[in-house]
Amino acid sequence: MQILKSHKTLNDPVSSLRFVRFMVTTCRAVVLPRFGGPEVLQLRSNVQVPDLKPNELLVRTRAVSINPLDTRMRSGYGRSLFEPLLPLILGRDISGEVAAVGASVRSLTVGQEVFGALHPTAIRGTYADYAILSEDELTPKPVSVSHVEASAIPFAALTAWRALKSTARISEGQRLLVLGGGGAVGFAAIQFSVAVGCHVTTTCGSKSIDRLLAAGAEQAVDYTAENIELAIRGKFDAVLDTIGGPETERLGINFLKRGGHYMTLHGVAASLADQYGLAVGLPVATAVLMKKRIQYWYSHGIEYSYTYMRADAEGLDEIRRLSEAGKLKIPVDKTFPITQVKEAHEAKDKRLIPGKIVLEFE
């Protein structure tokens, strides 16, 4: 990391809050120079740190979690969008301390511990000693939650939040079905819904059943051993499908009440854009979505949506509040130092570690 010192910064405590930003010019970061397996990841020591925009903050990274999006992007997912922008820095989740703030930032201050997540299409990710996020992508980290624990939460939780609160607008007393509750997004969705007062049913593997029931799910069905259609009774106000695919879509649609919401994490925009290019792929993806919406509205009377994470200050505030109260947790199965990022990605690729992996920074 290269540091430029300024006498004005050292002698003026007021101006130091603004000028400390310019002291960090380069830092260590994991760079993706081309798509491929874990071996393509490069830990470089002198990666440029861009200037802050007025609404941005510089965060000294303490921990980042590995999301499925990270390994998919590394392998070429979103190639049509990201290939012209290589090299990239992967990573979406972060927990750390504010090192500097932009001129218009008011809610957070230098030295404050924070956690949050970048948008899925961000080019400069969080696998770096210093990451840049906007003010609405960060919130104060609860004192009771460690950096490792905090880094596992935001991206998955914000994805679930958007589906449940922005799209389905769940409320107390409603019934929610989570297809694939054992993953981070599904687990976050269960905890959100229980906190609201919903009745939650979920599908999962046998190893996740006890954890999901302990989180408040009223029924957890082992999809490997039970017939889901026979095991689950009644209709639901909303279905969150974290698995994706024709079979779970069929199941989810048929379990919905009229007027209900089916939401899937697996939209086709990126895959179609990769296959046909942005100019053709994105319009085709829009047409596919519109066709499904019309089809399911007329055949079942339900709303069909793709859902994805986006920055949401209200959602982050609720995530912070529930995390602080111990009502929202994403279990971390293993940590690696950032110097072992290749080994961490290899472990995820080979499914050696089913749960969350977190990368720690010294």
Side-chain angles (χ1 to χ4, degrees):
M1 178 178 67
Q2 184 177 355
I3 297 177
L4 302 178
K5 293 184 178 180
S6 162
H7 290 296
K8 182 175 183 180
T9 299
L10 298 176
N11 296 332
D12 185 348
V14 176
S15 65
S16 69
L17 294 182
R18 300 299 172 190
F19 282 88
V20 69
R21 158 67 192 87
F22 298 101
M23 296 175 67
V24 181
T25 60
T26 61
C27 74
R28 186 179 53 162
V30 176
V31 173
L32 178 70
R34 65 186 186 280
F35 299 119
E39 71 281 355
V40 303
L41 297 173
Q42 297 178 2
L43 182 60
R44 297 181 183 176
S45 58
N46 290 294
V47 176
Q48 191 71 28
V49 178
D51 291 336
L52 287 180
K53 296 176 182 176
N55 68 325
E56 291 179 335
L57 298 93
L58 186 71
V59 178
R60 176 67 171 96
T61 310
R62 296 302 178 189
V64 301
S65 77
I66 297 178
N67 285 291
L69 180 62
D70 298 343
T71 55
R72 293 177 72 192
M73 281 180 61
R74 189 209 68 223
S75 300
Y77 176 77
R79 179 186 301 269
S80 58
L81 174 62
F82 294 116
E83 191 163 34
L85 303 172
L86 292 173
L88 306 175
I89 298 175
L90 295 177
R92 295 296 173 262
D93 285 315
I94 189 170
S95 185
E97 300 102 27
V98 176
V101 299
S104 67
V105 174
R106 294 292 178 266
S107 65
L108 299 167
T109 59
V110 171
Q112 192 169 7
E113 291 190 331
V114 294
F115 71 126
L118 287 165
H119 188 273
T121 59
I123 304 305
R124 192 186 194 279
T126 57
Y127 288 15
D129 282 329
Y130 287 89
I132 294 175
L133 295 90
S134 63
E135 187 173 11
D136 64 353
E137 292 173 330
L138 291 166
T139 193
K141 181 185 75 66
V143 175
S144 59
V145 180
S146 71
H147 284 300
V148 167
E149 292 167 332
S151 71
I153 297 171
F155 191 83
L158 281 169
T159 304
W161 170 270
R162 179 164 192 204
L164 300 178
K165 301 293 278 187
S166 300
T167 302
R169 298 179 293 278
I170 60 169
S171 59
E172 184 177 359
Q174 290 189 319
R175 298 191 75 210
L176 171 72
L177 173 61
V178 179
L179 297 172
V185 175
F187 192 48
I190 291 169
Q191 293 172 90
F192 272 138
S193 303
V194 169
V196 170
C198 292
H199 305 284
V200 183
T201 296
T202 186
T203 64
C204 59
S206 58
K207 294 181 180 179
S208 299
I209 288 177
D210 290 342
R211 176 165 57 90
L212 302 190
L213 292 174
E218 296 178 1
Q219 183 182 15
V221 178
D222 180 1
Y223 70 92
T224 66
E226 298 182 67
N227 184 316
I228 295 173
E229 292 176 282
L230 296 178
I232 297 175
R233 300 290 184 180
K235 297 286 187 177
F236 294 85
D237 298 285
V239 172
L240 176 60
D241 183 359
T242 73
I243 306 299
E247 179 59 17
T248 55
E249 181 172 307
R250 183 189 67 80
L251 284 170
I253 296 296
N254 288 332
F255 272 123
L256 277 170
K257 300 175 182 178
R258 293 192 70 84
H261 290 265
Y262 170 86
M263 301 155 292
T264 177
L265 303 185
H266 298 275
V268 297
S271 58
L272 288 175
D274 289 345
Q275 185 175 356
Y276 299 111
L278 287 172
V280 175
L282 292 183
V284 170
T286 301
V288 169
L289 175 59
M290 292 306 299
K291 180 182 177 182
K292 284 180 177 287
R293 282 181 170 172
I294 294 169
Q295 170 190 340
Y296 288 128
W297 176 253
Y298 280 102
S299 64
H300 291 75
I302 60 98
E303 300 279 356
Y304 180 102
S305 302
Y306 298 151
T307 191
Y308 55 91
M309 177 272 185
R310 69 174 179 186
D312 186 311
E314 179 187 356
L316 263 180
D317 185 64
E318 180 69 3
I319 288 166
R320 177 197 56 75
R321 187 184 68 81
L322 290 174
S323 300
E324 195 166 30
K327 296 180 179 180
L328 177 60
K329 300 176 181 179
I330 304 296
V332 175
D333 280 7
K334 187 172 177 61
T335 63
F336 287 82
I338 190 61
T339 52
Q340 294 180 12
V341 63
K342 293 181 182 179
E343 291 85 345
H345 268 244
E346 184 175 6
K348 289 306 294 183
D349 282 0
K350 293 182 177 180
R351 302 191 177 187
L352 301 176
I353 301 167
K356 271 284 189 179
I357 291 179
V358 167
L359 302 170
E360 291 189 275
F361 290 70
E362 299 83 10

